[in-house]
Amino acid sequence: KRSGVGIRSAGEVRVMDVDANENGGNGIRIWNQSGNDIFIENTIVTSNTTNGIGIHSAGFIDLTQITATGNSGNGVALYNQGGTGIDIITGTFSNNGENGILAISDGKIFIDDVEARNNVEAGARLTATLGTKEIWILSIALTGNGTYGIHADVGDGTLFYDCGLDLRNNGLGTLVLNWTFDKVVTSTT
């Protein structure tokens, strides 16, 4: 299986204005264990036989203006082991064979202005059980997904969310593990 774009790097990675469609593996695959940051912007990944975007990184991961639709695996699969976090700002992650967004981080996960609709599993499956143990969710629409709109695990950490959530018509509703109501903040202002 070949990815459309495959990068192994010990330095900072920037991917901008790329279409990676109909590949035999991931649309974009990045490995970076050096602790340097990864930025992907204005990129479309559709109909790949694995994930739209797959990243393993010890550095910060930033996705901005991403469209990941119709991939056999996850729209995006992001693994951050460095405690520096993941930001996903403005994107569409729909009609994927697994989750729209799979994000596992030792640092904070921040999501804003995102749609994840009609994925076979969850719209967004988020895990932040080490490090800061924080997940921030602002404006997001997670509808029509096969299992959960959001499946979030923050360990004994904090889930911050704004009122701009659309979580309709998901197969199993919303699941947030290992948190208590007194740690939920309904506004970030």
Side-chain angles (χ1 to χ4, degrees), residues 41-59:
E41 182 177 340
N42 195 33
T43 293
I44 299 170
V45 288
T46 61
S47 302
N48 295 289
T49 61
T50 311
N51 301 306
I53 297 173
I55 298 175
H56 282 80
S57 179

Side-chain angles (χ1 to χ4, degrees), residues 57-61 78-87 103-110 126-136 153-155 157-158:
S57 179
F60 176 70
I61 300 170
L78 312 173
Y79 303 93
N80 169 258
Q81 302 88 16
T84 51
I86 297 170
D87 282 4
I104 300 171
S105 181
D106 293 350
K108 177 177 73 175
I109 298 173
F110 177 86
L126 314 171
T127 302
T129 56
L130 300 172
T132 61
K133 300 179 187 174
E134 291 182 3
I135 297 175
W136 290 72
D153 188 351
V154 291
T158 307

Side-chain angles (χ1 to χ4, degrees), residues 49-145:
T49 61
T50 311
N51 301 306
I53 297 173
I55 298 175
H56 282 80
S57 179
F60 176 70
I61 300 170
D62 181 282
L63 302 184
T64 304
Q65 295 179 320
I66 304 298
T67 300
T69 60
N71 298 288
S72 295
N74 299 289
V76 294
L78 312 173
Y79 303 93
N80 169 258
Q81 302 88 16
T84 51
I86 297 170
D87 282 4
I88 303 171
I89 301 170
T90 310
T92 301
F93 307 88
S94 298
N95 300 306
N96 294 291
E98 294 180 24
N99 303 288
I101 299 168
L102 172 64
I104 300 171
S105 181
D106 293 350
K108 177 177 73 175
I109 298 173
F110 177 86
I111 298 176
D112 186 21
D113 191 24
V114 164
E115 292 183 4
R117 301 179 191 274
N118 304 315
N119 296 288
V120 171
E121 295 181 18
R125 186 175 184 121
L126 314 171
T127 302
T129 56
L130 300 172
T132 61
K133 300 179 187 174
E134 291 182 3
I135 297 175
W136 290 72
I137 301 171
L138 299 183
S139 176
I140 192 166
L142 305 167
T143 62
N145 296 290

Side-chain angles (χ1 to χ4, degrees), residues 3 6 12 21 26 34 36 52 56 68 77 86 90 116 136-137 154 169:
S3 294
E12 181 178 282
N21 306 317
N26 294 285
S34 67
N36 288 300
H56 282 80
I86 297 170
T90 310
W136 290 72
I137 301 171
V154 291
N169 302 320

